């Protein structure tokens, strides 16, 4: 990727169900990273792709269950994802929908490229098909004869399908990873990824149209449709000009991609094989967030009934508070339970009592003392150096996509400010001395606000205005536990 350009794309969620809090986590993490880089590089140098994956068996079945035609069905769910983004201030540059005609054409261009390179062939195939995964599982993958992810016995199926020569890319991809040791974040996922790659076999990439009429036709063979994941994965390239605008594509490629732990194989192995086959450079980076678990620490599931809805959480606490908890209360790359008690405690201690309190104290005292603030040139050098050290650390966490750690550091900086004000007692000092202290603090606050701005896009603007205009405001009213 061009150093001046930053391209990030989330995984496109399937539109067969409502978004849950795990999707919300990925979207707000991605948005936060993007906001940091927009601040750093300028809006025009950052591209943020999100969207929806709208084909495949699961969606076909679900639409039938709901008694809806396919197009209105996917429209309805895609709209929900857009509503979510609006509600949570996920500010994308592009909303990609795989049911768009343009996507159909360009996914076929991608297919043709792999075909020209000799990587697609037709063969009779019998295998164990998991509807949940939308793919055939190998014997190695089954646990007690069941899909390890869906705990269901796969169906035995025979079809004549197109296959993708994924096995050809085992060695090249392993070699590439030798030089790209930090490709996956967290790094401990690298062993898992290498295992996926070293076990890659050729895979079926089409289905008979008579079995699945909803999707993208295989070029020059109307009896076959592309597998949903083959079509969907190409969006990451098409979103920045693949197949339409080579210059644009070159400018933006390759992406930082975000995904959940169950997507490592698709994005880290299969998609990288597809890229190699199409003669394109590999992705730049893969950020694999953790799983958001139920209150009791187990996987959220419809069956157990412990799914948390981001829409309900927003109703209850507001988008900024939910964002704050997802980003700074849940480790960026580890599995963690979503606990509303923690949400309330984290918010109260970090925002209400720490940052919000400091902001109010400084504005209140500055007004009481009629002290000048917000003058960077007269900030005391020792104080400035301390703040700048924090800022450097905060930024390097963001650079490294460590949102949770950045949040922790910002909280420490605000805490440093509160301790400083308590120690210096500007209320007991004559105006010139009080002014020096408060001006120092305004410098610190400016950087606390800047640090939080990717995480709290709305509150940070309000805080910044309050500090500028010296208007007292209760930005973070305390929440009752
Ligand atoms: Zn499965």
């Amino acid at each position: 990727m061009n150093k001046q350009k930053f391209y990030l794309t989330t995984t496109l969620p399937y539109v067969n169900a409502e978004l849950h809090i795990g999707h919300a986590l990925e979207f707000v993490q991605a948005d936060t990273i993007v906001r940091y880089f927009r601040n750093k590089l300028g809006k025009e140098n950052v591209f943020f792709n999100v969207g929806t994956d709208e084909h495949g068996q699961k969606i076909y079945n679900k639409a039938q269950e709901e008694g809806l035609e396919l197009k209105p069905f996917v429209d309805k769910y895609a709209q929900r994802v857009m509503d979510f983004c609006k509600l949570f201030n996920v500010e994308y540059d592009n909303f990609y929908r795989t049911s768009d005609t343009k996507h159909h054409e360009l996914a076929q261009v991608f297919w043709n490229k792999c075909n020209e390179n000799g990587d697609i062939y037709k063969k009779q195939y019998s295998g164990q098909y998991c509807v949940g995964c939308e793919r055939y599982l190998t014997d190695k993958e089954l646990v007690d004869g069941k899909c390890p992810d869906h705990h269901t016995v796969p169906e035995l199926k025979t079809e004549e399908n197109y296959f993708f020569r994924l096995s050809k890319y085992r060695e090249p991809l392993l070699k590439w990873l030798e030089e790209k040791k930090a490709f996956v974040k967290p790094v401990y996922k690298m062993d898992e990824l290498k295992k996926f790659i070293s076990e890659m076999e050729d895979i079926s990439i089409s289905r008979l149209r008579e079995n699945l009429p909803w999707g993208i036709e295989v070029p020059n063979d109307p009896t076959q449709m592309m597998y949903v994941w083959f079509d969907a994965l190409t969006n990451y390239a098409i979103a920045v000009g693949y197949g339409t605008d080579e210059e644009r594509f070159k400018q933006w490629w390759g992406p930082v991609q975000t995904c959940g732990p169950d997507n490592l194989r698709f994005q880290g192995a299969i998609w990288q094989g597809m890229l190699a086959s199409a003669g394109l450079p590999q992705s730049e980076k893969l950020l694999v967030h953790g799983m958001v678990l139920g209150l009791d620490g187990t996987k959220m599931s419809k069956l157990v009934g412990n799914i948390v809805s981001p829409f309900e959480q927003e109703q209850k606490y507001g988008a900024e508070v939910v964002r704050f908890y997802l980003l700074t209360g849940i480790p960026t790359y580890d599995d963690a339970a979503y606990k509303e008690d923690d949400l309330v405690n984290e918010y109260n201690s970090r925002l209400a009592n720490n940052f919000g309190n400091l902001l109010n104290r400084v504005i209140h005292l500055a007004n009481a003392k009629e002290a000048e603030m917000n003058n960077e040139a007269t900030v005391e050098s020792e104080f400035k150096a301390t703040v700048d050290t924090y800022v450097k650390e905060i930024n390097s966490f963001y650079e490294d996509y460590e949102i949770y750690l950045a949040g922790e550091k910002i909280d420490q900086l605000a805490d440093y400010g509160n301790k400083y004000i308590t120690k210096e007692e500007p209320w007991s000092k004559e105006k010139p001395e009080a002014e020096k202290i408060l001006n120092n603090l305004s410098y610190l606050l400016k950087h606390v606000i800047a640090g939080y701005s990717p995480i709290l896009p709305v509150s940070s603007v309000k805080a910044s205005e309050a500090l500028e205009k010296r208007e007292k405001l209760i930005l973070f009213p305390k929440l009752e536990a």
Side-chain angles (χ1 to χ4, degrees):
M1 187 163 41
N2 183 323
K3 270 201 169 125
Q4 291 312 309
K5 298 280 182 196
F6 181 83
Y7 168 35
L8 185 143
T9 177
T10 63
T11 307
L12 309 190
Y14 268 127
V15 290
N16 64 334
E18 276 281 26
L19 287 185
H20 57 69
I21 203 76
H23 296 118
L25 176 86
E26 181 168 337
F27 274 80
V28 300
Q29 280 186 356
D31 180 68
T32 299
I33 293 166
V34 162
R35 282 174 188 276
Y36 172 80
F37 283 97
R38 280 195 189 124
N39 289 344
K40 183 187 167 188
L41 302 172
K43 262 191 168 176
E44 68 284 5
N45 291 318
V46 175
F47 192 79
F48 182 20
N49 182 55
V50 305
T52 40
D53 182 354
E54 307 186 2
H55 295 134
Q57 187 82 52
K58 278 190 276 189
I59 288 163
Y60 183 72
N61 293 351
K62 191 76 199 288
Q64 291 196 318
E65 247 171 64
E66 292 195 12
L68 282 173
E69 293 288 324
L70 266 307
K71 187 64 179 152
F73 175 84
V74 295
D75 285 350
K76 183 180 100 175
Y77 280 99
Q79 186 58 50
R80 281 297 270 175
V81 179
M82 290 185 219
D83 291 345
F84 165 84
C85 290
K86 195 156 183 232
L87 206 55
F88 283 87
N89 288 299
V90 173
E91 213 177 279
Y92 51 77
D93 295 300
N94 186 50
F95 194 96
Y96 201 105
R97 296 188 57 187
T98 60
S99 66
D100 284 347
T101 326
K102 201 74 201 154
H103 170 71
H104 284 218
E105 284 167 28
L106 293 165
Q108 289 175 331
V109 170
F110 199 103
W111 174 292
N112 284 335
K113 196 75 196 169
C114 298
N115 192 32
E116 278 165 30
N117 291 338
D119 290 338
I120 293 179
Y121 62 94
K122 208 170 185 182
K123 83 164 187 190
Q124 178 89 16
Y125 183 75
S126 290
Q128 315 190 69
Y129 184 76
C130 175
V131 178
C133 296
E134 307 223 35
R135 64 183 182 93
Y136 286 97
L137 303 182
T138 62
D139 288 337
K140 268 188 213 155
E141 290 176 71
L142 298 180
V143 177
D144 299 329
K146 289 179 181 171
C147 165
D149 292 333
H150 297 94
H151 309 289
T152 49
V153 179
E155 297 169 37
L156 195 65
K157 280 194 173 188
T158 304
E159 281 189 26
E160 192 176 40
N161 293 142
Y162 287 96
F163 274 70
F164 176 61
R165 232 179 273 285
L166 188 59
S167 61
K168 185 171 143 186
Y169 296 99
R170 263 183 235 150
E171 293 311 317
L173 289 183
L174 287 173
K175 207 171 151 226
W176 161 67
L177 282 182
E178 280 309 310
E179 282 145 36
K180 206 68 175 144
K181 292 198 183 332
F183 173 63
V184 181
K185 200 168 171 73
V187 280
Y188 67 79
K189 294 266 179 196
M190 196 54 130
D191 288 344
E192 200 181 338
L193 178 58
K194 281 188 180 159
K195 186 165 178 289
F196 284 150
I197 291 175
S198 62
E199 290 172 358
M200 287 192 317
E201 288 172 29
D202 293 357
I203 43 174
S204 164
I205 54 169
S206 76
R207 299 197 59 194
L208 280 173
R209 181 193 286 262
E210 61 192 52
N211 293 341
L212 182 65
W214 175 244
I216 301 177
E217 204 173 284
V218 169
N220 305 315
D221 187 348
T223 68
Q224 297 265 340
M225 304 294 269
M226 283 183 205
Y227 248 122
V228 55
W229 54 259
F230 190 94
D231 107 48
L233 287 168
T234 64
N235 95 86
Y236 306 129
I238 296 168
V240 288
Y242 176 79
T244 50
D245 187 340
E246 210 176 318
E247 269 312 301
R248 179 167 170 247
F249 180 76
K250 264 196 214 150
Q251 237 186 353
W252 290 102
W253 197 255
V256 172
Q257 300 188 211
T258 63
C259 74
D262 49 0
N263 235 297
L264 181 64
R265 182 199 302 271
F266 276 103
Q267 300 203 17
I270 298 175
W271 170 232
Q272 301 309 318
M274 286 167 66
L275 286 170
S277 171
L280 303 175
Q282 308 307 144
S283 300
E284 177 66 23
K285 192 105 186 161
L286 188 57
L287 306 177
V288 187
H289 61 78
M291 185 122 50
V292 187
L293 304 168
L295 194 55
D296 59 354
T298 60
K299 204 170 166 176
M300 287 190 192
S301 89
K302 233 184 197 167
L303 225 60
V304 182
N306 60 349
I307 294 182
V308 174
S309 155
F311 293 100
E312 282 171 26
Q313 289 293 298
E314 191 276 337
Q315 284 280 304
K316 204 166 167 185
Y317 301 107
E320 293 269 293
V321 178
V322 179
R323 271 183 79 113
F324 185 74
Y325 176 59
L326 286 173
L327 295 164
T328 70
I330 288 182
T332 311
Y333 299 103
D334 292 334
D335 296 351
Y338 190 92
K339 297 179 176 167
E340 289 185 49
D341 285 352
D342 285 356
L343 175 148
V344 170
N345 291 336
E346 288 291 324
Y347 167 88
N348 281 342
S349 88
R350 291 186 178 193
L351 292 186
N353 296 343
N354 196 20
F355 172 35
N357 183 36
L358 178 65
L359 182 67
N360 276 332
R361 287 169 93 184
V362 169
I363 291 171
H364 171 76
L365 284 165
N367 289 340
K369 293 275 177 192
E370 294 177 350
E372 289 295 323
M373 293 195 300
N374 302 318
N375 186 353
E376 196 170 324
T378 57
V379 176
E380 287 179 297
S381 61
E382 202 184 321
F383 186 89
K384 186 168 184 291
T386 305
V387 173
D388 291 350
T389 304
Y390 277 96
V391 172
K392 223 172 132 189
E393 286 171 333
I394 292 162
N395 288 342
S396 76
F397 281 132
Y398 274 128
E399 294 282 331
D400 205 18
Y401 317 107
E402 294 285 2
I403 303 165
Y404 177 85
L405 298 177
E408 213 168 52
K409 203 39 97 179
I410 302 162
D411 187 51
Q412 287 167 14
L413 177 58
D415 183 56
Y416 177 78
N418 270 313
K419 287 190 171 122
Y420 174 79
I421 201 170
T422 304
K423 187 178 114 225
E424 296 295 331
E425 300 182 347
W427 52 86
S428 68
K429 303 268 161 75
E430 292 300 318
K431 183 173 166 179
E433 185 58 20
E435 195 165 65
K436 203 157 63 184
I437 297 163
L438 291 165
N439 187 51
N440 285 349
L441 284 161
S442 71
Y443 179 75
L444 181 146
L445 269 168
K446 193 181 104 183
H447 287 289
V448 170
I449 294 166
Y452 273 137
S453 84
I455 295 171
L456 301 167
V458 178
S459 308
S460 60
V461 170
K462 287 185 189 162
S464 187
E465 281 171 7
L467 185 64
E468 195 63 38
K469 295 179 188 156
R470 312 156 63 110
E471 275 168 357
K472 241 190 133 175
L473 120 134
I474 306 295
L475 196 51
F476 306 110
K478 253 188 142 166
L479 286 171
E480 294 301 323

